Amino acid sequence: DPVIGSLHLLIALSRCGIEPLASFLYRNGVTADRIGRVAPADGEPQGGAEAPPVMSEGARQILEESSGNGGGVLGVFLALPDDSQAGIALERLDLHLDALKAEILAPGTA
């Protein structure tokens, strides 16, 4: 599917190990396992202990292309819409995408 959902990308970003974004997300409690447990049901990936969320191939390709473009991976994160499925999942974890974006853009972060 050429259209990659925001939740796929958030899960991918939290799993991909690209620094410093992945460690920033981990420190803030954004892990693929936690996201999978609170993922919205509108056709987005579901997960849990039995079925951990899997990074879609499209999300993997986007991240690989972004990582070759310097700060592209951070750009992928910053481009996630606040009202997207990713944003909804984060709210269910008592996190807010706009606050995470502001924190990572603050001087000396990450």
Side-chain angles (χ1 to χ4, degrees), residues 7 21 36 91:
L7 198 59
L21 181 61
E91 285 182 11

Side-chain angles (χ1 to χ4, degrees), residues 43-75:
E44 293 284 357
Q46 295 293 311
E50 300 90 26
V54 176
M55 185 190 314
S56 69
E57 186 57 33
R60 183 188 314 276
Q61 289 175 358
I62 288 172
L63 291 177
E64 286 177 0
E65 290 169 10
S66 296
S67 65
N69 296 331
V73 173
L74 179 58

